[in-house]
Amino acid sequence: MHETIAQGTVHELAEDMRTAIAADAKVFELWQGLTPLGRNEFICWVEDAKQAKTREKRIGRTIEELLEGKRRPCCWAGCIHRTDKAPSAWQQAVLIDKKKP
């Protein structure tokens, strides 16, 4: 078993994502090397998936992107759940306003 796995600044890893990261020593090392904000972005991106199939794909893509050297999810607008800063205008328009009924 690995040492305690690092979390994000707002989000914590769900069991399925934790298991996928811990399954590969290199991926685990890369994950641990991310900043808390970087980890938070990946977690938020996965958590934002509406369907289980999408979530599964995003977990797989997280592993791939870590192995490719990426430190944030590609093409993700960013976590809107952080309280240390207001959402950007782009996040507001695309992620927040779009979700209003």
Side-chain angles (χ1 to χ4, degrees):
M1 184 75 178
H2 291 289
E3 61 189 80
T4 302
I5 193 162
Q7 303 293 323
T9 55
V10 176
H11 299 285
E12 291 189 12
L13 283 168
E15 191 59 36
D16 56 350
M17 193 169 177
R18 179 190 324 265
T19 299
I21 290 168
D24 182 299
K26 178 67 177 169
V27 171
F28 179 81
E29 179 184 336
L30 291 166
W31 179 262
Q32 295 293 91
L34 293 177
T35 65
L37 289 175
R39 290 189 298 269
N40 195 72
E41 294 299 313
F42 277 112
I43 298 168
C44 187
W45 179 56
V46 169
E47 293 296 321
D48 191 61
K50 309 248 182 314
Q51 297 179 5
K53 186 174 183 175
T54 303
R55 180 184 178 87
E56 192 176 310
K57 281 182 175 180
R58 288 185 183 180
I59 291 172
R61 188 64 194 139
T62 294
I63 303 303
E64 292 171 12
E65 289 190 10
L66 288 171
L67 292 170
E68 291 167 1
K70 294 191 171 82
R71 305 194 50 85
R72 296 274 200 287
C74 177
C75 309
W76 174 240
C79 178
I80 61 171
H81 306 102
R82 289 174 51 192
T83 58
D84 61 322
K85 70 176 190 106
S88 69
W90 194 86
Q91 287 174 312
Q92 184 69 43
V94 174
L95 299 176
I96 299 169
D97 292 342
K98 178 182 104 175
K99 292 184 177 181
K100 289 183 181 174

